[in-house]
Amino acid sequence: MTLLRKRFQSNFQEPISILDKGIPLKMYTGLNLSIENSNLDGLNLTEPEICQNYITSVLQTNNAEVAYGGYLENRSLYSDKVGFMGIGETQRTIHLGIDFWTKAGTTVLVPFTGIVHSFKNNNIRGDYGPTIILEHEIAGLRFHTLYGHLSIKSLQNLKTGQSFETEAVLGTIGSQEVNGNYAPHLHFQIIIDMNDWSGDYPGVCAKSDISHYSDNCPDPNLLLNL
C-alpha cells in the first residue's frame, strides 16, 4: 500500500469529484455514521427512512448537497443484515470505502482512466445492488475501484474490458428499491488485489480483519483528495 500511496501522491494532487460536475465540492459536507457519534443514539439506521432523515438534516444544516465519509468507520448500519455476520465472531461492522449520500439518479463519474474488470447486480437485501468494478494502472501498478449501490440502468450495455476515460459517466446512483435497501448513496472503494472476486468484493469487515482489508483497500481519499 505504501507504493500505491506514493504513486497517488505523485499523480493526484487536486481534489477529484466522482459525482455530477454540476455539484461543486463546496456543496459537500462530512458525515459521521460511526457508533461513536452520539447524535445517532436512539436512531435505527438500518431503517432507510430514518437513515435518510438524519442525512437530510446534516445536509440542510451545512447547506450541502452531498454528505460523504465512512472509511474504517465502525457502524451499526449493518446490524440487521444476516450476510454481515462473521464466522465464529461478531458481525462485520467496519466500513472499507467512502460513501457519498445524495439523491438517487445523481451521475457517477470515473476518477481515472480504466477498463471494466467486472460488474454484477448483487440484489440481496443489504448488499451493493448494481455494482461496477474498474481496473486501473498507474506507472505499472494495478489497482481497482468499486462503485456500489448504482441504478440498474448503469449495467445496461456494459462489457468487460470496456474503456472509460477520466470524468466519463459510469452510471447513476440507485434508489432504495434496487440498491440493497439503503438510503441512496454511492459506495466507492479502492481494491489492490481482487483475488477471485468478480462483480463484488467485501465493503465491510470484522474488527479482527482490519489489518488485512485496510492494506488491500486503502483510504479512497488518497486518490480523491477531498
Side-chain angles (χ1 to χ4, degrees):
M1 188 178 78
T2 301
L3 180 58
L4 185 65
R5 180 182 289 111
K6 290 180 178 178
R7 297 286 169 82
F8 281 165
Q9 290 174 342
S10 297
N11 291 271
F12 306 106
Q13 299 177 0
E14 298 298 322
I16 297 176
S17 172
I18 57 172
L19 296 180
D20 185 347
K21 282 291 186 180
I23 307 175
L25 291 177
K26 66 180 181 180
M27 299 300 291
Y28 284 50
T29 189
L31 179 70
N32 179 358
L33 292 182
S34 73
I35 60 174
E36 288 80 16
N37 183 357
S38 60
N39 291 325
L40 300 177
D41 291 349
L43 297 182
N44 181 8
L45 295 185
T46 64
E47 292 292 336
E49 292 78 9
I50 294 176
C51 185
Q52 182 63 68
N53 287 340
Y54 177 73
I55 292 166
T56 297
S57 71
V58 171
L59 292 172
Q60 291 176 343
T61 298
N62 293 280
N63 191 30
E65 292 188 39
V66 177
Y68 74 97
Y71 182 64
L72 297 189
E73 277 187 352
N74 185 13
R75 294 175 167 180
S76 65
L77 185 59
Y78 317 108
S79 60
D80 68 332
K81 314 295 191 300
V82 174
F84 284 76
M85 290 302 296
I87 299 175
E89 60 175 298
T90 57
Q91 201 166 19
R92 292 188 289 132
T93 60
I94 307 300
H95 189 251
L96 298 172
I98 289 181
D99 285 336
F100 295 85
W101 305 83
T102 189
K103 296 177 181 178
T106 300
T107 301
V108 176
L109 306 176
V110 175
F112 179 63
T113 299
I115 63 172
V116 176
H117 170 275
S118 52
F119 57 94
K120 180 182 177 183
N121 186 2
N122 298 288
N123 60 345
I124 298 174
R125 185 178 182 275
D127 212 324
Y128 287 127
T131 309
I132 299 175
I133 298 172
L134 299 182
E135 181 178 305
H136 313 269
E137 187 172 318
I138 178 173
L141 187 64
R142 185 174 300 169
F143 68 99
H144 307 80
T145 52
L146 181 150
Y147 310 79
H149 310 295
L150 300 173
S151 64
I152 291 177
K153 70 177 184 179
S154 300
L155 305 186
Q156 293 176 355
N157 302 315
L158 202 60
K159 297 180 180 179
T160 301
Q162 182 176 341
S163 297
F164 283 90
E165 297 298 320
T166 302
E167 297 188 351
V169 174
L170 181 66
T172 55
I173 292 177
S175 64
Q176 175 188 334
E177 290 75 20
V178 302
N179 75 356
N181 196 44
Y182 294 99
H185 70 288
L186 169 71
H187 174 93
F188 178 74
Q189 183 171 334
I190 294 176
I191 306 162
I192 299 174
D193 187 353
M194 287 294 299
N195 294 304
D196 295 324
W197 289 89
S198 179
D200 193 10
Y201 189 87
V204 182
C205 75
K207 291 181 181 179
S208 59
D209 294 327
I210 289 179
S211 178
H212 166 73
Y213 280 106
S214 62
D215 279 345
N216 198 44
C217 302
D219 187 350
N221 214 27
L222 292 172
L223 171 65
L224 300 181
N225 294 304
L226 295 175

